[in-house]
Amino acid sequence: MEDAKRPSRGVAAVFAGLLLAMFVSTLSETVTATALPTIVGDLGGVDHMQWVTTAYILASTVMMPVYGKLGDLFGRKRLFIVALSVFVAGSATCGLAPSMDGLIAGRAVEGLGGGGLIILAQATIADIIPPRQRGKYMGVMGSVFAVSTVVGPLLGGWFVQVTGWRWLFAFNIPLALAAIAAVAVFLEKPAPRADRPPVDVAGMAVLAVAVASLVLATAWGGTLFSWTSPEVLGLFVLSLAAAVTFVLVERRASEPVIPLKLFRNRNFVVCTATGMFIMLGMMGTVSYLPTYFQIVDGLAPEQAGLMTFPMMAGVLATAVAAGFLATRTGRYKWMPVASCAVAAVGFVLLSRLSPDTPLPVAGAFLFVLGFGIGLGQQILVLIVQNEFPHAIVGTATAANNFFRQIGSTLGASLVGALFTSRLAADLAAQLPRVDNVNMNRITPEYVQHLAEPARSLIATAYSDALAPIFLYVVPLLVVGFALMLTLKEHPLATSVDHGGHPGDESL
């Protein structure tokens, strides 16, 4: 047994390194938000814009359970350095990309590294801090997400305006190198193991096929191919077949990448499902808001980035407060319950956005959404970690985040496909009335230089295509609210048990 009374200076140094690694990962997802329209316009690939985000999320999703399991088996320090190094290689590839294909490939490489950073950071905190004290640390980690979501779009807009968009990828590299140095110096080496645990290569491979085919089906359906086309239906069938095969493989694996016995724990199931619903709605809709504010309201990229501040202010306030309240009181069930309810209200409010909505009102809507998301974002991870022995805390954390990222991926793909198809249909009906306008050339800068009525037609089409989609998320949050009411509030453990090896635990 190990309690939390480790030298505070050592804990602070480790925690600072983990926060930097998390900041690098989350910044990479947000820094392109305001710059993306300019990037794809420059590279001539507006019709492939969603893949710049989807490629990163897909690669990171596949790698999450891999990093979680390998961290439990072999320790997290070397994995951290590997993940950060791969991320640096991906950032360099993006910055030098001569085409959309090169940019998308670079984002995928970034995702292969970035997928391990948040998982390894959360699991490392679980190595040294008991659950009862961990809430405040998890709350601060949640605030990193909030800060990077505000800083990222602002930096993206600044780079586009001042230095050119390629520098926003170069900016990631020194931060990642600093994180590598912090991890190398301050994170302790794992204790050597006498045995050589097997790695579930077959499970990892089948899992990658299942996730990739599912994302491709949802990304291509309704855009590149019809939903009933042989290509899309074939991908859905492949995903289902791979998922069934994965279950069969995991049942026989001695060290499964996602142990099926995790799903015997009801709290794990309800927290994982609820987190997936929240992320599906958030990533599927909010990622389009910076472009929305540029095209519909005519804001500059950095101004559009500032419009995300109210939402992240809400996340920051409630994520930190919820973590400290969980540590002080030991009570936490009410937080994810309230999270679903408040976030649902936020999405209903956002569905009322229109070209005539004043910006302060839109900011208030976003604050409500962020307030709700922050209440449950990190607490769900804390609950999952509290349910399992330390020997598999990394695996359990990764599995929880894996399904949340599945929600992000499906959200980005499904909402992206739905938004694109709605926008294309609306513009197809409107643009014949306007000369010399090509949908693949529509970027905020391009729209601002158009004369009336073309500019107003495009702004209205963007608003009409996006705003109603916010309502589609509300039923998912209602289901999440009902699931969280069934959560069992177990006492938060006051110590970290390092006894045993993975595979020895009983659930």
Side-chain angles (χ1 to χ4, degrees), residues 427 431 434-435 437 447 450-460:
L427 291 180
L431 290 184
V434 183
D435 293 332
V437 176
V447 171
L450 287 176
E452 296 293 347
R455 182 166 56 189
S456 295
L457 286 173
I458 293 173
T460 301

Side-chain angles (χ1 to χ4, degrees), residues 82-93:
V82 168
L84 285 163
S85 300
V86 173
F87 180 87
V88 167
S91 294
T93 302

